[in-house]
């Protein structure tokens, strides 16, 4: 087997490594039964994938571009490249709806092969969906196929090289198909680390992080992914863009920013040059308790504005703290009261000790209670596990989904209330709405909501209505429709409220210039 192919493919209608799929832990099952009732909902099996609709001449041209063995038409591969991993995506897969399956999965080896596939797409009018890890939660992999001769999933899985390391400038150039742990292992061999740990880290890719402006759990210390990127190479139907020739530049507007977050609609990112750090010698995570979400959030603001941010800083609201979501292995077990904050420090022992003391002194002074390292260790241990619970909840008929936004500090209480009210109103009791803050800035923070409600016979429709209500509430408070999940197709209706019709027109003009025939991810972003 080609060593560049993924060691683990995710199940088509579940999250993550199939070997780690879990049923509900006993503590959670009790809670679910008490609150929502158990309503077993097995996923449809052996659903046929619509037959590929590409003619042989086009397939031969694609085979000539990337090699015959890298143009795949089989049902299993096409099923695995159908949509992403939002709850609506999973619900559609579970219901046996494979109408968005690509006609072919094409796996280029390098930039030139990507460019060759794009040229063929223009020539034969093929819609092309760049596919990284397939963890999109905003419909970023659900392109429009009407008006196209076929739909091709451009699977970047073979593009997995660490192309260059500059130890003097502390940058590394990576190919887009590297999954989080693969990039981490290559950099660790150089004594380096990227420091980007979204919850989807184990499956999402370098190209996907850049294409969606992803933000990880250590964003307070390392920065969001778009802040790590110093250079990009991009293949577009009009040719190549190489961006980022210096650490900073006044040569007009920063074109890298146009490509970061462009979700495969402007071009295919084929190389990412990112800032790297030395591997941390020490990692320490600890818990703090706060009497209220407001008090904990005020403490986060104080740290951010004092320039005293730790590497990890997250705060669960009273609801999330009580449910114990920070510890997926103990979900539903008697939770703590108040609000749990996790504070993590990574780096060399001396600066870690100094910062830890300084941060602790600020937090204690503001009314925080230190809980020691156990809650921090528990969080770090289970940090990538929570998504498996969503499948277990869907199995018993409970709708679970997340959404996120961000705003300035002065508007956080209003945003928090508006989103909660919208979700509770749309879904009706019983519903659980949990929230945490995990990305903070001097001027504001993101709010990340987790929602659980009974799904019933129309779980998809129920979620779509709730999501629309929450999105309207977000727009009405002037917050962003997405802090780090991107626009995709799901957030598109709210983009004009955020950037204005003129802003959308600017994005459309960029798309028209780079992709004049509209073959790249049609319907995504713009
Ligand atoms: C359980 C779960 C947890 C998550 N947690 C986080 C989190 O903590 N933080 C966070 O930021 N996000 C999170 N996400 C969202 C998702 O993981 C991110 O958006 C991630 O950056 C997507 O990367 P990917 O490689 O999976 O991209 P994909 O899902 O494959 O693609 C995402 C979009 O980018 C485009 N694209 C992919 N690769 C390229 C490329 N090389 N060039 C151009 N376009 C490309 C695709 O066409 C698509 O529109 C989570 C998702 C799930 C399901």
């Amino acid at each position: 087997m080609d060593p560049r192919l993924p060691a683990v493919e995710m199940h088509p209608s579940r999250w993550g490594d199939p070997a780690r799929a879990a049923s509900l832990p006993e503590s959670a099952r009790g809670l679910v039964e008490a609150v929502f009732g158990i309503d077993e909902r097995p996923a449809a099996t052996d659903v046929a994938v619509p037959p590929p609709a590409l003619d042989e001449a086009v397939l031969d041209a694609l085979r000539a571009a990337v090699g015959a063995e890298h143009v795949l038409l089989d049902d299993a591969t096409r099923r695995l490249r159908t949509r992403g991993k939002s709850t609506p995506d999973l619900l559609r897969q579970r219901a046996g709806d494979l109408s968005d399956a690509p006609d072919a999965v094409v796996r280029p080896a390098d930039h030139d092969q990507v460019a060759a596939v794009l040229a063929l797409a223009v020539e034969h009018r093929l819609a092309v969906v760049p596919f990284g890890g397939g963890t999109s939660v905003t419909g970023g992999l659900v392109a429009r196929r009407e008006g196209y001769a076929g739909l091709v999933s451009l699977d970047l899985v073979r593009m997995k090289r660490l192309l260059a390391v500059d130890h003097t400038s502390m940058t590394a150039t990576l190919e887009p198909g590297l999954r989080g742990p693969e990039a981490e292992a290559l950099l660790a061999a150089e004594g380096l680390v990227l420091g980007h740990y979204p919850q989807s880290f184990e499956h999402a890719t370098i190209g996907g992080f850049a294409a969606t402006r992803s933000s990880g759990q250590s964003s307070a210390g390392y920065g969001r992914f778009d802040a790590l990127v110093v250079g990009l190479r991009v293949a577009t139907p009009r040719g190549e863009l190489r961006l980022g020739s210096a650490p900073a530049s006044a040569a007009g507007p920063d074109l890298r920013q146009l490509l970061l977050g462009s979700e495969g609609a402007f071009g295919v990112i084929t190389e990412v040059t990112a800032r790297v750090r030395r591997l941390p010698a020490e990692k320490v995570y600890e818990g703090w308790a706060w009497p209220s979400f407001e008090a904990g959030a005020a403490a986060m603001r104080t740290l951010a504005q004092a320039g005293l941010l730790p590497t990890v800083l997250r705060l669960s609201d009273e609801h999330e703290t009580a449910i114990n979501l920070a510890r997926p292995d103990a979900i539903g077990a008697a939770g703590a009261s108040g609000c749990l904050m996790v504070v993590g420090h990574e780096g060399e022992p001396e600066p870690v000790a100094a910062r830890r003391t300084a941060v602790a002194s600020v937090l204690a002074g503001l009314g925080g209670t230190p809980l020691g390292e156990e809650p921090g260790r528990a969080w770090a241990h289970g940090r990538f596990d929570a998504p498996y619970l969503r499948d277990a909840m869907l199995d018993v008929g409970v709708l679970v989904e997340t959404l996120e936004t961000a705003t300035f500090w002065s508007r956080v209480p209003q945003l928090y209330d508006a989103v909660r009210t919208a979700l509770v109103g749309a879904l009706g009791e019983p519903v659980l709405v949990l929230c945490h803050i995990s990305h903070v800035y001097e001027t504001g923070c993101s709010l990340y909501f987790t929602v659980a409600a009974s799904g019933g016979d129309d779980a998809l429709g129920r979620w779509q209505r709730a999501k629309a209500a929450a999105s309207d509430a977000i727009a009405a408070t002037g917050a962003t429709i997405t802090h780090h999940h991107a626009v995709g197709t799901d957030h598109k209706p709210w983009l004009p409220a955020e950037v204005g019709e003129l802003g959308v027109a600017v994005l459309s003009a960029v798309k028209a210039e780079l992709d004049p025939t509209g073959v790249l991810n049609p319907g995504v972003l713009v």
Side-chain angles (χ1 to χ4, degrees), residues 36-75:
F36 305 110
I38 298 282
D39 174 16
E40 304 283 351
R41 297 264 163 181
T45 48
D46 292 335
V47 181
V49 184
L54 287 177
D55 65 42
E56 271 308 310
V58 175
L59 288 170
D60 282 344
L62 289 168
R63 288 178 186 122
V66 300
E69 67 277 35
H70 302 300
V71 177
L72 293 109
L73 306 175
D74 63 284
D75 281 9

Short mmCIF file of all heavy atoms in Angstrom, two decimals, residues 36-75:
data_model
loop_
_atom_site.label_atom_id
_atom_site.label_comp_id
_atom_site.label_asym_id
_atom_site.label_seq_id
_atom_site.Cartn_x
_atom_site.Cartn_y
_atom_site.Cartn_z
N PHE A 36 -33.69 12.93 27.62
CA PHE A 36 -34.28 12.85 26.27
C PHE A 36 -35.02 11.55 25.97
O PHE A 36 -35.79 11.47 25.02
CB PHE A 36 -33.18 13.01 25.20
CG PHE A 36 -32.35 14.24 25.35
CD1 PHE A 36 -31.03 14.18 25.74
CD2 PHE A 36 -32.90 15.49 25.08
CE1 PHE A 36 -30.26 15.32 25.86
CE2 PHE A 36 -32.14 16.65 25.20
CZ PHE A 36 -30.81 16.56 25.61
N GLY A 37 -34.72 10.52 26.74
CA GLY A 37 -35.22 9.19 26.38
C GLY A 37 -34.30 8.56 25.35
O GLY A 37 -33.56 9.27 24.66
N ILE A 38 -34.37 7.24 25.23
CA ILE A 38 -33.51 6.53 24.28
C ILE A 38 -34.36 6.12 23.09
O ILE A 38 -35.43 5.54 23.24
CB ILE A 38 -32.90 5.27 24.95
CG1 ILE A 38 -32.00 5.66 26.13
CG2 ILE A 38 -32.17 4.39 23.94
CD1 ILE A 38 -30.64 6.18 25.79
N ASP A 39 -33.92 6.44 21.89
CA ASP A 39 -34.69 6.20 20.67
C ASP A 39 -33.69 5.70 19.63
O ASP A 39 -33.16 6.48 18.84
CB ASP A 39 -35.32 7.56 20.27
CG ASP A 39 -36.04 7.50 18.94
OD1 ASP A 39 -36.32 6.39 18.47
OD2 ASP A 39 -36.30 8.58 18.38
N GLU A 40 -33.42 4.37 19.68
CA GLU A 40 -32.35 3.80 18.84
C GLU A 40 -32.55 4.17 17.37
O GLU A 40 -33.64 3.97 16.82
CB GLU A 40 -32.31 2.27 18.97
CG GLU A 40 -32.16 1.75 20.40
CD GLU A 40 -30.75 1.85 20.96
OE1 GLU A 40 -29.82 2.17 20.19
OE2 GLU A 40 -30.58 1.61 22.19
N ARG A 41 -31.51 4.68 16.73
CA ARG A 41 -31.58 5.11 15.32
C ARG A 41 -30.39 4.55 14.54
O ARG A 41 -29.40 5.25 14.30
CB ARG A 41 -31.53 6.64 15.22
CG ARG A 41 -32.67 7.38 15.88
CD ARG A 41 -33.74 7.72 14.87
NE ARG A 41 -34.99 8.08 15.55
CZ ARG A 41 -36.10 8.41 14.91
NH1 ARG A 41 -36.12 8.45 13.59
NH2 ARG A 41 -37.19 8.68 15.57
N PRO A 42 -30.44 3.28 14.16
CA PRO A 42 -29.30 2.72 13.42
C PRO A 42 -29.16 3.38 12.04
O PRO A 42 -30.16 3.79 11.44
CB PRO A 42 -29.66 1.23 13.28
CG PRO A 42 -31.12 1.13 13.56
CD PRO A 42 -31.55 2.34 14.34
N ALA A 43 -27.92 3.51 11.61
CA ALA A 43 -27.67 4.11 10.30
C ALA A 43 -27.98 3.11 9.20
O ALA A 43 -27.85 1.90 9.39
CB ALA A 43 -26.21 4.54 10.22
N ALA A 44 -28.42 3.63 8.04
CA ALA A 44 -28.66 2.76 6.88
C ALA A 44 -27.33 2.12 6.47
O ALA A 44 -26.28 2.74 6.57
CB ALA A 44 -29.20 3.60 5.74
N THR A 45 -27.38 0.88 6.03
CA THR A 45 -26.14 0.21 5.61
C THR A 45 -26.26 -0.21 4.14
O THR A 45 -27.36 -0.27 3.58
CB THR A 45 -25.88 -1.07 6.45
OG1 THR A 45 -27.09 -1.82 6.49
CG2 THR A 45 -25.46 -0.72 7.86
N ASP A 46 -25.12 -0.47 3.54
CA ASP A 46 -25.05 -0.95 2.16
C ASP A 46 -25.84 -0.09 1.19
O ASP A 46 -26.55 -0.61 0.31
CB ASP A 46 -25.58 -2.40 2.08
CG ASP A 46 -24.64 -3.36 2.79
OD1 ASP A 46 -23.45 -3.02 2.88
OD2 ASP A 46 -25.11 -4.42 3.24
N VAL A 47 -25.75 1.21 1.36
CA VAL A 47 -26.47 2.09 0.44
C VAL A 47 -25.65 2.23 -0.84
O VAL A 47 -24.44 2.45 -0.77
CB VAL A 47 -26.69 3.47 1.10
CG1 VAL A 47 -27.45 4.37 0.15
CG2 VAL A 47 -27.40 3.31 2.41
N ALA A 48 -26.31 2.12 -1.97
CA ALA A 48 -25.59 2.21 -3.24
C ALA A 48 -25.20 3.66 -3.51
O ALA A 48 -25.96 4.59 -3.22
CB ALA A 48 -26.47 1.68 -4.36
N VAL A 49 -24.02 3.84 -4.07
CA VAL A 49 -23.56 5.16 -4.46
C VAL A 49 -24.02 5.37 -5.91
O VAL A 49 -23.93 4.44 -6.72
CB VAL A 49 -22.02 5.24 -4.36
CG1 VAL A 49 -21.52 6.63 -4.67
CG2 VAL A 49 -21.57 4.79 -2.98
N PRO A 50 -24.53 6.57 -6.24
CA PRO A 50 -24.95 6.79 -7.64
C PRO A 50 -23.79 6.48 -8.58
O PRO A 50 -22.64 6.79 -8.27
CB PRO A 50 -25.31 8.28 -7.68
CG PRO A 50 -25.52 8.69 -6.26
CD PRO A 50 -24.71 7.76 -5.41
N PRO A 51 -24.07 5.85 -9.72
CA PRO A 51 -22.97 5.49 -10.63
C PRO A 51 -22.23 6.73 -11.12
O PRO A 51 -22.84 7.79 -11.29
CB PRO A 51 -23.68 4.77 -11.79
CG PRO A 51 -25.13 5.06 -11.62
CD PRO A 51 -25.39 5.49 -10.23
N PRO A 52 -20.91 6.60 -11.36
CA PRO A 52 -20.15 7.75 -11.84
C PRO A 52 -20.63 8.21 -13.21
O PRO A 52 -20.96 7.38 -14.05
CB PRO A 52 -18.71 7.24 -11.91
CG PRO A 52 -18.73 5.78 -11.64
CD PRO A 52 -20.10 5.39 -11.20
N ALA A 53 -20.69 9.54 -13.38
CA ALA A 53 -21.28 10.07 -14.61
C ALA A 53 -20.25 10.69 -15.55
O ALA A 53 -20.58 11.53 -16.36
CB ALA A 53 -22.33 11.13 -14.23
N LEU A 54 -18.98 10.26 -15.45
CA LEU A 54 -17.97 10.85 -16.34
C LEU A 54 -17.72 9.94 -17.52
O LEU A 54 -17.64 8.72 -17.37
CB LEU A 54 -16.66 11.02 -15.58
CG LEU A 54 -16.65 12.14 -14.54
CD1 LEU A 54 -15.32 12.15 -13.81
CD2 LEU A 54 -16.89 13.48 -15.22
N ASP A 55 -17.55 10.55 -18.73
CA ASP A 55 -17.32 9.66 -19.85
C ASP A 55 -15.85 9.23 -19.93
O ASP A 55 -14.97 9.85 -19.33
CB ASP A 55 -17.86 10.24 -21.17
CG ASP A 55 -17.16 11.48 -21.60
OD1 ASP A 55 -15.94 11.51 -21.49
OD2 ASP A 55 -17.86 12.43 -22.04
N GLU A 56 -15.62 8.17 -20.65
CA GLU A 56 -14.30 7.52 -20.66
C GLU A 56 -13.19 8.46 -21.15
O GLU A 56 -12.06 8.41 -20.64
CB GLU A 56 -14.32 6.27 -21.55
CG GLU A 56 -14.71 5.00 -20.81
CD GLU A 56 -13.91 4.70 -19.53
OE1 GLU A 56 -12.67 4.74 -19.57
OE2 GLU A 56 -14.54 4.44 -18.49
N ALA A 57 -13.50 9.34 -22.10
CA ALA A 57 -12.45 10.22 -22.62
C ALA A 57 -11.94 11.15 -21.51
O ALA A 57 -10.73 11.38 -21.37
CB ALA A 57 -13.01 11.03 -23.79
N VAL A 58 -12.88 11.64 -20.70
CA VAL A 58 -12.49 12.53 -19.59
C VAL A 58 -11.68 11.74 -18.57
O VAL A 58 -10.64 12.20 -18.07
CB VAL A 58 -13.75 13.16 -18.95
CG1 VAL A 58 -13.36 13.98 -17.72
CG2 VAL A 58 -14.49 14.02 -19.95
N LEU A 59 -12.15 10.54 -18.27
CA LEU A 59 -11.43 9.71 -17.30
C LEU A 59 -10.02 9.40 -17.80
O LEU A 59 -9.05 9.44 -17.03
CB LEU A 59 -12.20 8.41 -17.04
CG LEU A 59 -13.49 8.59 -16.22
CD1 LEU A 59 -14.30 7.30 -16.21
CD2 LEU A 59 -13.16 9.01 -14.79
N ASP A 60 -9.89 9.13 -19.08
CA ASP A 60 -8.56 8.85 -19.64
C ASP A 60 -7.65 10.06 -19.50
O ASP A 60 -6.46 9.93 -19.21
CB ASP A 60 -8.67 8.42 -21.10
CG ASP A 60 -9.13 6.96 -21.21
OD1 ASP A 60 -9.05 6.24 -20.19
OD2 ASP A 60 -9.58 6.55 -22.31
N ALA A 61 -8.20 11.23 -19.72
CA ALA A 61 -7.40 12.45 -19.59
C ALA A 61 -6.95 12.63 -18.14
O ALA A 61 -5.79 12.99 -17.87
CB ALA A 61 -8.21 13.66 -20.07
N LEU A 62 -7.85 12.36 -17.20
CA LEU A 62 -7.48 12.47 -15.78
C LEU A 62 -6.41 11.43 -15.44
O LEU A 62 -5.45 11.71 -14.72
CB LEU A 62 -8.72 12.28 -14.89
CG LEU A 62 -9.73 13.43 -14.91
CD1 LEU A 62 -11.04 13.01 -14.23
CD2 LEU A 62 -9.16 14.68 -14.22
N ARG A 63 -6.58 10.23 -15.99
CA ARG A 63 -5.59 9.15 -15.73
C ARG A 63 -4.22 9.56 -16.27
O ARG A 63 -3.20 9.32 -15.64
CB ARG A 63 -6.06 7.85 -16.38
CG ARG A 63 -7.25 7.22 -15.64
CD ARG A 63 -7.71 5.94 -16.34
NE ARG A 63 -8.92 5.43 -15.72
CZ ARG A 63 -10.09 5.21 -16.36
NH1 ARG A 63 -10.19 5.47 -17.67
NH2 ARG A 63 -11.13 4.75 -15.70
N ALA A 64 -4.22 10.20 -17.43
CA ALA A 64 -2.95 10.62 -18.01
C ALA A 64 -2.30 11.69 -17.13
O ALA A 64 -1.07 11.77 -17.03
CB ALA A 64 -3.18 11.16 -19.43
N ALA A 65 -3.13 12.49 -16.44
CA ALA A 65 -2.59 13.59 -15.63
C ALA A 65 -1.99 13.10 -14.31
O ALA A 65 -0.98 13.63 -13.85
CB ALA A 65 -3.70 14.61 -15.35
N VAL A 66 -2.61 12.11 -13.68
CA VAL A 66 -2.16 11.73 -12.33
C VAL A 66 -1.75 10.26 -12.20
O VAL A 66 -1.31 9.84 -11.13
CB VAL A 66 -3.25 12.03 -11.26
CG1 VAL A 66 -3.62 13.50 -11.22
CG2 VAL A 66 -4.49 11.16 -11.47
N GLY A 67 -1.92 9.50 -13.26
CA GLY A 67 -1.64 8.05 -13.19
C GLY A 67 -2.95 7.31 -13.01
O GLY A 67 -3.79 7.70 -12.18
N ALA A 68 -3.11 6.22 -13.78
CA ALA A 68 -4.39 5.50 -13.81
C ALA A 68 -4.83 5.04 -12.42
O ALA A 68 -6.01 5.09 -12.08
CB ALA A 68 -4.29 4.30 -14.75
N GLU A 69 -3.84 4.62 -11.59
CA GLU A 69 -4.23 4.07 -10.28
C GLU A 69 -4.69 5.15 -9.31
O GLU A 69 -5.16 4.84 -8.22
CB GLU A 69 -3.10 3.23 -9.68
CG GLU A 69 -1.84 3.97 -9.28
CD GLU A 69 -0.86 4.22 -10.45
OE1 GLU A 69 -1.31 4.45 -11.59
OE2 GLU A 69 0.36 4.22 -10.20
N HIS A 70 -4.55 6.42 -9.70
CA HIS A 70 -4.95 7.49 -8.80
C HIS A 70 -6.23 8.18 -9.24
O HIS A 70 -6.55 9.28 -8.78
CB HIS A 70 -3.80 8.50 -8.65
CG HIS A 70 -2.56 7.84 -8.14
ND1 HIS A 70 -2.51 7.20 -6.93
CD2 HIS A 70 -1.33 7.69 -8.70
CE1 HIS A 70 -1.31 6.68 -6.74
NE2 HIS A 70 -0.58 6.95 -7.80
N VAL A 71 -6.96 7.54 -10.14
CA VAL A 71 -8.32 7.98 -10.48
C VAL A 71 -9.24 6.86 -10.01
O VAL A 71 -9.27 5.78 -10.60
CB VAL A 71 -8.47 8.23 -11.99
CG1 VAL A 71 -9.89 8.61 -12.34
CG2 VAL A 71 -7.49 9.31 -12.45
N LEU A 72 -9.96 7.11 -8.95
CA LEU A 72 -10.74 6.03 -8.32
C LEU A 72 -12.24 6.25 -8.53
O LEU A 72 -12.75 7.36 -8.32
CB LEU A 72 -10.42 5.97 -6.82
CG LEU A 72 -8.97 5.53 -6.57
CD1 LEU A 72 -8.14 6.69 -6.05
CD2 LEU A 72 -8.93 4.36 -5.63
N LEU A 73 -12.88 5.16 -8.91
CA LEU A 73 -14.33 5.24 -9.21
C LEU A 73 -15.15 4.32 -8.31
O LEU A 73 -16.38 4.30 -8.40
CB LEU A 73 -14.58 4.82 -10.66
CG LEU A 73 -13.79 5.58 -11.73
CD1 LEU A 73 -14.05 4.98 -13.10
CD2 LEU A 73 -14.16 7.05 -11.74
N ASP A 74 -14.47 3.54 -7.46
CA ASP A 74 -15.21 2.53 -6.69
C ASP A 74 -16.11 3.19 -5.66
O ASP A 74 -15.85 4.30 -5.18
CB ASP A 74 -14.23 1.57 -6.02
CG ASP A 74 -13.35 2.29 -5.02
OD1 ASP A 74 -12.40 3.00 -5.46
OD2 ASP A 74 -13.62 2.23 -3.83
N ASP A 75 -17.18 2.48 -5.29
CA ASP A 75 -18.18 3.02 -4.38
C ASP A 75 -17.59 3.40 -3.02
O ASP A 75 -17.89 4.46 -2.47
CB ASP A 75 -19.29 1.98 -4.13
CG ASP A 75 -20.27 1.93 -5.29
OD1 ASP A 75 -19.98 2.58 -6.33
OD2 ASP A 75 -21.31 1.25 -5.17
#
